[in-house]
Amino acid sequence: MPDTALPILYSFRRCPYAMRARLALHVSGLAHEHREVVLKHKPAHMLALSPKGTVPVLWLRASSGDQILDQSLDIMLWALRQHDPLAWLADTDQAMADAQALIAHNDGPFKYHLDRYKYPNRSGLESGHADRDLAAVWLHSLDARLQAQPFLAGTHEGLADAALAPFIRQFAHTDPGWFAAQPWSDLLAWLARFEASELFKAIMHKHAPWQEGA
């Protein structure tokens, strides 16, 4: 296999983890093959590459040996370390640690409450309102951050913005009326700017489901 073989991304359009991976790949400008997955019928090849069975999965092909990245943040960092034209990667250790702390909270406590808010019946809950309100505490802290600077990363969009936006969007869309009524105007503006961006439109392009052996 030639070293120039395109990377292959297994993705699902609405998955926020896959969204963040697609954002970084698109910004990096790295050519790759997109394979849209039907989650109820996951491709055998994807499962062979990554038995945990979740998207995204990036298959890096090379004659020197294949590499499989099946964590969304790893895909983001790999892509941006190849090419980072918008300077999404922080330029100081402190700024990178700050971005990683935001992402860790998003992927940990916030995602926990988001899932229970969006799908309360899966957790045996009558309502997700308690988890909604717990998650909102952190969103208010992000709004305070955005009052002081235009982006979570600082003066321009960065890794933290791209990594968090798909999840905050999912939270917002769970009950759009409630979300829009909250006193976090800077967070609302930040999310609206993300959703209206050409970058978001580009990564949300609809792909036909990939068919194995086609």
Side-chain angles (χ1 to χ4, degrees), residues 6-23:
L6 285 180
I8 291 175
L9 177 73
Y10 286 97
S11 181
F12 177 64
R13 184 173 180 269
R14 297 194 306 273
C15 170
Y17 292 105
M19 284 184 200
R20 64 160 56 151
R22 297 198 306 271
L23 287 166

Side-chain angles (χ1 to χ4, degrees), residues 44-204:
H45 182 257
M46 185 190 89
L47 294 173
L49 294 174
S50 177
K52 68 187 181 69
T54 60
V55 293
V57 176
L58 186 66
W59 178 26
L60 303 174
R61 304 180 292 166
S63 58
S64 55
D66 292 355
Q67 184 180 1
I68 309 302
L69 300 179
D70 60 4
Q71 297 293 331
S72 59
L73 184 57
D74 289 341
I75 295 173
M76 294 186 81
L77 293 173
W78 176 83
L80 295 171
R81 285 166 179 162
Q82 308 300 309
H83 188 48
D84 185 18
L86 300 184
W88 277 14
L89 293 178
D91 57 2
T92 68
D93 290 343
Q94 181 177 352
M96 179 57 82
D98 181 57
Q100 290 175 327
L102 286 173
I103 295 168
H105 190 98
N106 178 86
D107 293 7
F110 180 72
K111 183 64 165 60
Y112 172 80
H113 292 305
L114 169 58
D115 287 345
R116 288 165 62 90
Y117 169 40
K118 187 174 176 64
Y119 309 107
N121 58 333
R122 294 183 183 178
S123 300
L125 303 172
E126 291 185 11
S127 164
H129 290 175
D131 286 276
R132 176 197 69 188
D133 295 343
L134 288 168
V137 173
W138 186 57
L139 294 182
H140 281 294
S141 75
L142 295 183
D143 181 69
R145 186 184 182 100
L146 291 166
Q147 291 173 28
Q149 57 192 40
F151 295 95
L152 297 177
T155 57
H156 68 274
E157 188 175 22
L159 179 68
D161 297 275
L164 269 60
F167 295 86
I168 297 174
R169 174 181 179 271
Q170 189 178 69
F171 182 95
H173 283 243
T174 301
D175 186 344
W178 179 89
F179 188 85
Q182 302 312 300
W184 43 41
S185 58
D186 288 271
L187 182 69
L188 284 167
W190 170 85
L191 183 61
R193 184 168 50 203
F194 168 72
E195 291 188 305
S197 69
E198 291 303 316
L199 171 59
F200 180 68
K201 293 173 186 175
I203 68 105
M204 293 303 285

Side-chain angles (χ1 to χ4, degrees), residues 15-54:
C15 170
Y17 292 105
M19 284 184 200
R20 64 160 56 151
R22 297 198 306 271
L23 287 166
L25 284 166
H26 188 84
V27 162
S28 72
L30 297 175
H32 62 281
E33 178 185 336
H34 181 110
R35 293 182 176 178
E36 186 70 12
V37 172
V38 177
L39 296 182
K40 291 182 179 179
H41 306 286
K42 297 171 184 174
H45 182 257
M46 185 190 89
L47 294 173
L49 294 174
S50 177
K52 68 187 181 69
T54 60

